[in-house]
């Protein structure tokens, strides 16, 4: 049996006991190749030059940073998270699949994205809605001001957001992967504060599960609120990119287009690009 076979065999017997929740998160939630391409494409379109340096806020296992330094030998990345456990996981997985040169161009930094200072970069990213941990307007603006401070002259802050009427509902959505089921649980929503509590659960073929593998306590910010806070923090302008829809397949496409108005879909995902 080859090594590859062995690891595939191991994977197909995934259970709550044998699975690593960070691996499952990467497989089910993240699409870092898309995000690396998106950062490069949008920065080039805006500034007519290549984006070389990024800071990945709320980086978790710093997957984007790792794909970024692999994408080009001149690329550098700073990855910031305040959870030592996830940074240790990132470090261990990097040691298995990154060269010394790649590792030299990626700095894992333990710190609070709200206040941490790093070298100035071309792009700061905060994806998978992580900045929604800031529930007060003043705190959100403080975070945007910190991102602004850590950007080069023509730097871009890239964020994502979701919305639509489904975002205000308490619901569970399951997606089947080869060896596990991913479950997105919008457990509670308070219309008075727009506070949202969500969980990710993982379920396995043997009936076992990892309940509440991840918990998120967020404020569901609207696009106009986010844009207003970005301008107040000092950004010159903001653009919204909405996800495309394939009428024939009746599913979202991987294309995001700059828009100023769009349909009131039940659920949508957007990227927000703020220019310094
Ligand atoms: C939603 S997850 C990570 C999302 C990841 N960026 C992605 O694209 O999938 C949120 C991460 O943010 C980190 N985090 C939350 N608040 C933070 C803060 N104020 N500063 C730094 N990291 C923070 C958590 O430790 C966790 O690893």
């Amino acid at each position: 049996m080859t090594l590859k076979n062995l690891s595939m065999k191991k994977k197909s017997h995934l259970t709550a006991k044998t699975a690593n929740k960070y691996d499952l998160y990467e497989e089910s939630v993240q699409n870092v190749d898309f995000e690396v391409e998106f950062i490069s494409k949008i920065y080039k379109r805006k500034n007519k030059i290549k984006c070389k340096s990024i800071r990945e806020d709320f980086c978790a296992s710093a997957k984007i940073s790792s794909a970024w330094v692999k994408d080009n030998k001149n690329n550098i990345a700073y990855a910031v998270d305040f959870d030592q456990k996830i940074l240790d996981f990132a470090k261990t997985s990097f040691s298995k699949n990154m060269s010394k040169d790649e590792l030299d161009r990626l700095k894992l930094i333990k710190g609070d994205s709200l206040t941490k200072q790093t070298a100035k970069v071309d792009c700061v990213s905060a994806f998978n809605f992580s900045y929604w941990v800031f529930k007060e307007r003043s705190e959100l603006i403080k975070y945007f001001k910190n991102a602004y401070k850590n950007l080069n002259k023509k730097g871009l802050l890239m964020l994502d957001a979701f919305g639509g009427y489904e975002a205000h509902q308490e619901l569970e959505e399951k997606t089947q992967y080869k060896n596990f089921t991913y479950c997105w649980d919008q457990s509670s929503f308070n219309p008075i504060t727009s506070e949202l509590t969500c969980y990710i659960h993982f379920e396995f073929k043997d009936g076992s599960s990892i309940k509440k593998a991840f918990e998120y306590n967020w404020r569901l910010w609207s696009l106009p609120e986010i844009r207003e806070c970005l301008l107040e923090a000092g950004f010159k302008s903001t653009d919204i990119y909405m996800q495309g829809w394939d009428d024939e397949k009746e599913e979202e496409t991987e294309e995001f287009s700059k828009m100023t108005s769009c349909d009131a879909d039940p659920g949508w995902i957007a990227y927000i690009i703020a220019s310094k």
Side-chain angles (χ1 to χ4, degrees), residues 100-219:
K100 178 170 180 325
D101 172 59
E102 288 161 357
L103 286 169
D104 285 345
R105 290 182 284 110
L106 195 174
K107 303 272 174 278
L108 275 180
I109 296 163
K110 183 174 186 244
D112 190 335
S113 291
L114 185 62
T115 49
K116 189 74 188 171
Q117 299 296 299
T118 46
K120 283 192 163 73
V121 290
D122 297 330
C123 171
V124 173
S125 73
F127 290 148
N128 274 318
F129 329 109
S130 319
Y131 65 102
W132 286 1
V133 291
F134 305 127
K135 296 179 187 168
E136 297 291 329
R137 207 172 180 278
S138 57
E139 240 196 342
L140 188 65
I141 293 172
K142 186 173 170 188
Y143 168 64
F144 291 162
K145 279 187 173 165
N146 195 48
Y148 186 96
K149 228 195 277 178
N150 287 290
L151 279 169
N152 288 327
K153 224 171 169 191
K154 288 189 163 182
L156 303 179
L157 169 61
M158 301 197 186
L159 309 163
D160 54 9
F162 68 87
Y165 60 79
E166 280 175 3
H168 299 250
Q169 290 174 342
E170 291 167 357
L171 54 81
E172 265 193 34
E173 215 176 69
K174 291 192 180 188
T175 313
Q176 185 69 50
Y177 287 83
K178 193 163 166 243
N179 297 308
F180 65 94
T181 303
Y182 162 88
C183 179
W184 174 247
D185 177 3
Q186 283 176 196
S187 177
S188 68
F189 177 72
N190 178 353
I192 296 175
T193 60
S194 268
E195 282 177 289
L196 182 68
T197 299
C198 303
Y199 301 103
I200 294 175
H201 316 294
F202 297 109
E203 295 164 357
F204 303 92
K205 288 179 183 155
D206 71 339
S208 64
S209 60
I210 307 178
K211 292 281 176 208
K212 299 188 180 175
F214 296 96
E215 174 176 348
Y216 304 107
N217 292 298
W218 288 334
R219 170 164 166 185

Side-chain angles (χ1 to χ4, degrees), residues 30-41:
Q30 295 190 296
N31 187 351
V32 293
D33 291 338
F34 170 81
E35 269 154 356
V36 163
E37 200 188 317
F38 186 77
I39 292 171
S40 302
K41 194 171 70 185

Side-chain angles (χ1 to χ4, degrees), residues 238-252:
T238 59
D239 293 322
I240 304 292
Y241 284 73
M242 300 299 293
Q243 191 167 20
W245 179 259
D246 187 323
D247 276 334
E248 267 173 33
K249 291 189 189 159
E250 296 209 326
E251 62 183 31
E252 290 92 359

